């Protein structure tokens, strides 16, 4: 399995009305899992854990240095949700909660209001931002 230090962002377009999307998603997810450990990538999600002003400055810099960064951030930020595939296998409720909430901070994107987290052992959780008034995200354990 891939090292926790190998973080990748893959985009899947899944708004097709002309065919059953489940086989397409299954194929794409299998391809992503196979490719995830083949090369190192920067963990941009860790930057979203920074102080808001720091992250704003870093994000602005990323946009300035590359039009590719701009296109990728646009796709990431306009997506409906994120699916975080973690290569850890938490067992207890506490372990699942801690790993689901933030993991090592690298495989989450805290500017996204809906993130599904699936662990190597099949356990899963959902991180949901509950609104601007509380400025807090909640983790729901799915199993």
């Amino acid at each position: 399995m891939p090292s926790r230090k190998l973080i990748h962002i893959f985009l899947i377009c899944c708004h097709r009305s002309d065919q059953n999307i489940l086989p397409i998603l299954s194929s794409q997810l299998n391809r992503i899992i196979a490719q995830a450990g083949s090369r190192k990538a920067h963990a941009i999600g860790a930057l979203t854990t920074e102080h808001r002003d720091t992250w704003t400055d870093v994000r602005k810099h990323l946009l300035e240095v590359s039009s590719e960064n701009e296109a990728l951030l646009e796709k990431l930020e306009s997506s409906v949700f994120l699916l975080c595939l973690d290569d850890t296998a938490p067992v207890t409720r506490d372990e699942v909660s801690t790993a689901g909430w933030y993991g090592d901070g690298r495989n989450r994107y805290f500017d996204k209001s809906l993130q599904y987290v699936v662990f190597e052992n099949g356990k899963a959780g959902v991180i949901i931002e509950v609104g601007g008034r509380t400025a807090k995200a909640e983790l729901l354990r799915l199993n």
Side-chain angles (χ1 to χ4, degrees):
M1 288 308 293
S3 164
R4 291 176 64 177
K5 294 183 173 113
L6 301 176
I7 309 298
H8 305 281
I9 296 173
F10 295 89
L11 302 171
I12 299 176
C13 181
C14 58
H15 51 79
R16 297 184 59 161
S17 61
D18 60 333
Q19 55 186 265
N20 183 353
I21 194 68
L22 292 179
I24 295 168
L25 283 176
S26 177
S27 172
Q28 292 296 318
L29 289 172
N30 284 326
R31 183 181 58 82
I32 287 168
I33 291 168
Q35 290 180 3
S38 65
R39 66 191 189 331
K40 290 192 176 195
H42 299 287
I44 192 169
L47 298 172
T48 64
T49 67
E50 287 289 338
H51 184 278
R52 300 315 299 163
D53 292 340
T54 302
W55 167 230
T56 298
D57 292 342
V58 170
R59 186 182 182 286
K60 182 189 291 186
H61 176 73
L62 289 171
L63 296 174
E64 291 170 352
V65 298
S66 169
S67 60
E68 183 179 341
N69 288 346
E70 184 174 8
L72 290 173
L73 281 173
E74 169 60 30
K75 288 179 181 180
L76 179 66
E77 292 168 354
S78 66
S79 66
V80 176
F81 64 88
L82 296 182
L83 174 62
C84 307
L85 302 174
D86 279 20
D87 62 353
T88 60
V91 176
T92 68
R93 286 185 179 178
D94 287 345
E95 291 171 344
V96 171
S97 295
T98 299
W101 177 243
Y102 53 81
D104 64 3
R106 298 171 53 87
N107 192 23
R108 306 289 182 271
Y109 193 82
F110 293 104
D111 279 0
K112 186 50 79 184
S113 60
L114 177 60
Q115 300 179 73
Y116 295 96
V117 181
V118 180
F119 299 100
E120 186 176 67
N121 60 1
K123 293 194 179 286
V126 180
I127 301 171
I128 302 170
E129 181 194 352
V130 294
R133 289 184 305 154
T134 60
K136 178 182 175 189
E138 298 292 332
L139 170 72
L140 304 174
R141 283 180 283 110
L142 297 179
N143 45 359

